[in-house]
Amino acid sequence: MDNGDLNSDDFLKNFYMPDFVFDPEAAEEANLEVPKCPVIVFVNSKSGGQLGGDLLNTYRGLLNKLQVFDLGEEAPDKVLHRLYRNLERLKSNGSEFAAEIQKRLRIIVAGGDGTAGWLLGVVCDLKLAQSPPVATVPLGTGNNLPFSFGWGKKNPGTDLKSAKSILEQVMKAKEMKIDSWHIIMRMKALKEGSCDPIAPLELPHSLHAFQRVSDSDLLNKEGSHTFRGGFWNYFSMGMDAQVSYAFHSERKLHPEKFKNQLVNQSTYAKLGCTQGWFCASLVHPSSRNIAQLTEVEIMKRPGEWEHLDIPRSIRSIVCLNLPSFSGGFNPWGTPSGRKKAERDLTAPFVDDGLIEVVGFRDAWHGLVLLAPKGHGTRLAQARRIRFRFKKGAADHTYMRLDGEPWKQPLPVDDDTVEVEISHHAQVNILAIEGCRSKSIQDPTSPVSPYSHHHDEEDSNEDTDDDSYEERRKFGAADTFRFTEEADFTHFS
């Protein structure tokens, strides 16, 4: 498609939807041609400095304003529930137009990794027979999710030509599945002080915090706080999360200094130096090394837990779902044939029900990722992974969930902090041809020996229990809630 086509009114007709699709009060128009690629656009106007607001205005000028939403003004779950409720009403009245819209609908989300993960979680919540695939447009600092699926790392242009180019890519993009991962964290409730062990503003958007769990809740454990949530890209712990925490703290204090992507990345690199990530052996006490902080177990096959040995030099551990971390690096790489045979390691697939576990000694170790075949220390591939933190020399560590860091208190007595990660569900995502993410369903990909994760039941139904009182934050999707019938014995 050339620029002449991009600049024509006929091009925009491929994406445009009339008012009555969104507004039940609007009169239904007859004899309309169904758009080839109807889209809903969500933009986080606060992402990318001024870029988010500019991109929002550009799309509102190109499409029906009712198709374009500012995530700072309206949550996507409300938007999509309202839209699908109206589409079902139209279909019940015999509208073939509405039926085709529902079949062809694609979603664009422009924002950082946290915004993209939020939107994916909301789509997962819809539990539709045919869920709309999501295109993740980069508009943040790391942009790991967009980069994994071919949408690039750099923030997009906000002019008409750039916005139309994105629309063209969305129309041509292929659909892929992506795994989501559930995380549960349990810790002892403090007898004194705040009800929450972690300051509310420091909680990741995708982690739900419980102040009180009812006696009937299967997650209930007397005297404990339970957190649960999920992620699409990674969970990390250790020095990398410490650097990220320093960056986010600085940005929270001085937001005016973080409106440029290059400046953000430069500041991040400087903090890596000042936090001692490049001279960890001198600055970082060995008591904070992963092996000293926690016991780790993994499950490769259903019901079979096994101990995972962590080298004593590892200061950072990453549980990775996508082949993009810290702005585009692939810590897992591509294991050789010998590694595959000896250790049951495969290339990373985004839909195989396996998570890659990688370790790093320091930032210099991380720099090996710059080499064509560079990778971190491959520790394991697993269906589940469990961390048990006990009283030790450190009173806290740092954790990060899809780019959002927090300072995690560790036990001060004989208590244990537990973190467990397990496969949750899948959603559809849009990918550019030739992207680095690979699917187990792709006939050109080698078959993973552990790809048959569907023999385990996923617990992803919602509950309407009135006693379910949780503090919600921007980005917390319902998809990572449990059913009352779910089996939680593996969390004990």
Side-chain angles (χ1 to χ4, degrees), residues 277-303:
W277 192 209
F278 281 91
C279 51
S281 60
L282 298 176
V283 178
H284 189 81
S286 60
S287 60
R288 289 193 182 181
N289 290 6
I290 301 301
Q292 299 293 101
L293 291 175
T294 181
E295 297 175 1
V296 185
E297 293 179 300
I298 60 170
M299 183 186 291
K300 290 186 175 182
R301 295 171 180 83

Side-chain angles (χ1 to χ4, degrees), residues 62-77:
L62 288 172
L63 304 169
N64 187 337
K65 291 182 180 180
L66 296 179
Q67 289 177 248
V68 185
F69 300 89
D70 182 353
L71 289 170
E73 297 177 353
E74 192 166 16
D77 53 337

Side-chain angles (χ1 to χ4, degrees), residues 413-427:
D413 49 29
D414 294 332
D415 189 40
T416 299
V417 172
E418 294 180 349
V419 175
E420 185 169 326
I421 295 168
S422 59
H423 184 267
H424 176 64
Q426 292 184 332
V427 296

Side-chain angles (χ1 to χ4, degrees), residues 182 206-214 216-219 226-229 461-472 476-484 488:
H182 194 277
S206 49
L207 201 61
H208 291 179
F210 286 78
Q211 293 189 358
R212 298 188 185 279
V213 177
S214 67
S216 60
D217 194 308
L218 292 173
L219 284 174
T226 300
F227 296 75
R228 58 188 178 191
E461 294 296 322
D462 282 335
T463 176
D464 292 322
D465 187 357
D466 291 336
S467 67
Y468 185 88
E469 292 294 334
E470 63 187 12
R471 174 170 39 74
R472 296 209 174 267
D478 287 341
T479 186
F480 299 110
R481 292 162 68 177
F482 288 119
T483 61
E484 293 181 352
F488 297 105

Side-chain angles (χ1 to χ4, degrees), residues 120-178:
L120 289 171
V122 168
V123 171
C124 189
D125 290 344
L126 292 175
K127 296 179 175 62
L128 299 170
Q130 183 181 3
S131 65
V134 180
T136 56
V137 176
L139 198 62
T141 301
N143 296 326
N144 290 294
L145 243 168
F147 184 64
S148 297
F149 293 93
W151 298 96
K153 285 189 291 185
K154 294 183 178 179
N155 292 335
T158 59
D159 57 288
L160 291 174
K161 183 179 178 180
S162 298
K164 288 179 180 179
S165 179
I166 291 173
L167 290 173
E168 181 189 20
Q169 288 180 302
V170 169
M171 186 162 55
K172 293 180 177 180
K174 64 178 182 179
E175 290 188 34
M176 291 179 65
K177 295 285 186 182
I178 176 177

Side-chain angles (χ1 to χ4, degrees), residues 56-96:
L56 180 74
N57 292 330
T58 300
Y59 275 117
R60 283 178 171 169
L62 288 172
L63 304 169
N64 187 337
K65 291 182 180 180
L66 296 179
Q67 289 177 248
V68 185
F69 300 89
D70 182 353
L71 289 170
E73 297 177 353
E74 192 166 16
D77 53 337
K78 293 183 178 180
V79 172
L80 292 175
H81 277 99
R82 187 170 65 242
L83 170 64
Y84 276 93
R85 192 161 51 241
N86 196 44
L87 287 174
E88 289 299 326
R89 180 187 64 82
L90 291 168
K91 285 166 57 180
S92 67
N93 292 334
S95 173
E96 294 183 5

Side-chain angles (χ1 to χ4, degrees), residues 13-17 32-40 84 87 96-107 130-134 170-171 175 430:
K13 289 179 181 178
N14 290 308
F15 311 95
Y16 188 91
M17 288 188 284
L32 287 177
E33 183 178 350
V34 181
K36 182 178 180 180
C37 182
V39 295
I40 297 292
Y84 276 93
L87 287 174
E96 294 183 5
F97 184 90
E100 285 300 316
I101 289 291
Q102 194 164 333
K103 288 180 183 178
R104 303 181 190 187
L105 184 65
R106 295 189 163 195
I107 294 176
Q130 183 181 3
S131 65
V134 180
V170 169
M171 186 162 55
E175 290 188 34
L430 289 171

Side-chain angles (χ1 to χ4, degrees), residues 251-320:
R251 184 167 60 178
K252 191 181 297 183
L253 289 173
H254 305 287
E256 71 281 357
K257 297 180 180 180
F258 295 84
K259 294 186 177 182
N260 180 281
Q261 188 178 29
L262 291 177
V263 172
N264 291 355
Q265 293 170 344
S266 174
T267 303
Y268 204 102
K270 291 177 182 177
L271 286 170
C273 297
T274 59
Q275 292 291 315
W277 192 209
F278 281 91
C279 51
S281 60
L282 298 176
V283 178
H284 189 81
S286 60
S287 60
R288 289 193 182 181
N289 290 6
I290 301 301
Q292 299 293 101
L293 291 175
T294 181
E295 297 175 1
V296 185
E297 293 179 300
I298 60 170
M299 183 186 291
K300 290 186 175 182
R301 295 171 180 83
E304 298 179 13
W305 285 103
E306 59 185 78
H307 176 75
L308 178 64
D309 287 321
I310 306 294
R312 295 180 65 85
S313 60
I314 296 298
R315 296 179 175 88
S316 182
I317 193 168
V318 182
C319 301
L320 188 68

